[in-house]
Amino acid sequence: MISFKNNNNTPKIVSPSASMEAEAKDWIKCPSCRSLLYSKHLKENLQVCPKCSHHFRLNALEWMELLLDENSFKPFHTDMTALDILEFSDQDSYADRITKATQKASFNEAIQVGTAQIESQPLAFGVMDFQFIGGSMGVVVGEKIVRLAEKAQEEHLPLLIISASGGARMQEGMFSLIQMARTAGAIGRFQKHQGLYLSLLTHPTTGGVSASFAFLGDIILSEPQALIGFAGARVIEQTTRQKLPPRFQTAEFLLEHGQIDKIVERKFMKRVIGRILSFYYEGHHSAMGVK
């Protein structure tokens, strides 16, 4: 509501018009520098704040548009959906959560997998979507990653997985935790057959995902300022009874301590990955005697 005084000095209340409400939605406050950003300009800048370079989270579709060659993505296993194995219920039933998440994320699970091309170079590709129940890893996510790694191994393709997750999916209990071992095993078998695995960590990559396939990459990339870790900082401090160092669990901290290989700004991400794939294929062809 808007309050002001007219010529008779009488207070008057005016409801905001639909156009005013629509205009307000066009502006987004940066959570880092608190600047007001016009949503159209933010989109043109790849969802990166022009004032402080804060990287807003991208969904799965936006990552596909940013990295993949046009019309190159060929998805598979799109019909796989989670089952309410434990008949779990808290504030909402798990079945209801799945339905709501599907409507919100426009996908039926927290990861999309398939084959694609980046700068005309083929690869096996997986991308997580934080909009779907916090990008949590349940049975379907684990199974899709296993099958993606097997597909990459069968077709001798490099593998790229983009992680964005709060960890294992609590509504599936032990079944979700088992996926940590299953995904790690599948990635290990792929690497044993000289497969190249690129892991891209985005904000946030935590819990069971960070403790399994996300940190097994031959090359591990990250976006700036991404939150990356296993347990929350508060839990760690309470357990160890020690004050954590500044910037703990940020991409920059992990780079300084040798846990990731490179931090890449979003505008350079496709170029960097494309160059890595180019080096891989040049080396692979050279080893095979192909010119």
Side-chain angles (χ1 to χ4, degrees), residues 53 55 199-202 219-228 247 249-269 272-273 276:
S53 295
H55 284 51
S199 180
L200 172 53
L201 312 182
T202 70
I219 300 175
I220 302 177
L221 307 176
S222 175
E223 289 201 297
Q225 305 165 19
L227 172 66
I228 304 166
R247 301 186 304 152
Q249 292 187 328
T250 63
E252 289 73 14
F253 183 89
L254 269 62
L255 180 64
E256 291 172 5
H257 291 78
Q259 293 182 285
I260 62 176
D261 296 298
K262 189 175 182 62
I263 295 173
V264 183
E265 291 185 44
R266 190 170 289 164
K267 60 184 177 182
F268 301 125
M269 191 67 74
V272 168
I273 294 176
I276 293 172

Side-chain angles (χ1 to χ4, degrees), residues 22-218:
E23 185 177 353
K25 293 180 181 179
D26 288 336
W27 293 89
I28 299 172
K29 181 178 287 188
C30 174
S32 180
C33 68
R34 316 302 292 175
S35 298
L36 277 178
L37 308 172
Y38 188 43
S39 59
K40 181 181 178 181
H41 295 162
L42 184 62
K43 184 176 181 179
E44 292 171 351
N45 201 42
L46 305 179
Q47 300 294 341
V48 177
C49 175
K51 305 289 181 65
C52 69
S53 295
H54 172 77
H55 284 51
F56 287 78
R57 186 183 298 122
L58 297 183
N59 61 36
L61 278 176
E62 290 169 329
W63 273 115
M64 292 178 192
E65 292 173 1
L66 176 68
L67 293 181
L68 304 184
D69 295 352
E70 189 173 1
N71 299 322
S72 70
F73 183 60
K74 308 300 181 187
F76 48 77
H77 306 311
T78 56
D79 58 341
M80 294 177 63
T81 57
L83 297 177
D84 189 4
I85 306 171
L86 304 178
E87 298 183 356
F88 187 95
S89 181
D90 46 14
Q91 293 177 335
D92 295 314
S93 70
Y94 182 33
D96 287 343
R97 287 187 183 276
I98 293 171
T99 300
K100 292 176 182 177
T102 301
Q103 295 170 346
K104 181 178 180 181
S106 300
F107 289 116
N108 60 359
E109 251 304 338
I111 192 170
Q112 298 301 304
V113 299
T115 57
Q117 292 187 357
I118 295 179
E119 296 190 342
S120 301
Q121 297 168 111
L123 75 159
F125 177 79
V127 56
M128 303 191 77
D129 196 331
F130 196 81
Q131 288 183 317
F132 195 102
I133 315 182
S136 51
M137 178 170 64
V139 172
V140 172
V141 170
E143 182 64 23
K144 281 190 171 187
I145 291 172
V146 169
R147 295 190 186 187
L148 180 65
E150 291 173 346
K151 179 80 168 179
Q153 182 176 326
E154 290 169 5
E155 301 192 6
H156 305 287
L157 295 172
L159 170 63
L160 168 64
I161 299 179
I162 303 174
S163 297
S165 177
R169 189 170 300 173
M170 60 174 287
Q171 292 87 353
E172 295 185 19
M174 184 59 70
F175 294 100
S176 66
L177 296 179
I178 292 172
Q179 307 313 309
M180 295 171 62
R182 295 189 69 241
T183 56
I187 295 294
R189 291 190 293 273
F190 168 71
Q191 292 171 321
K192 188 176 181 179
H193 286 80
Q194 287 74 52
L196 172 66
Y197 171 37
L198 305 179
S199 180
L200 172 53
L201 312 182
T202 70
H203 178 81
T205 299
T206 58
V209 167
S210 68
S212 56
F213 67 88
F215 263 101
L216 296 178
D218 298 295

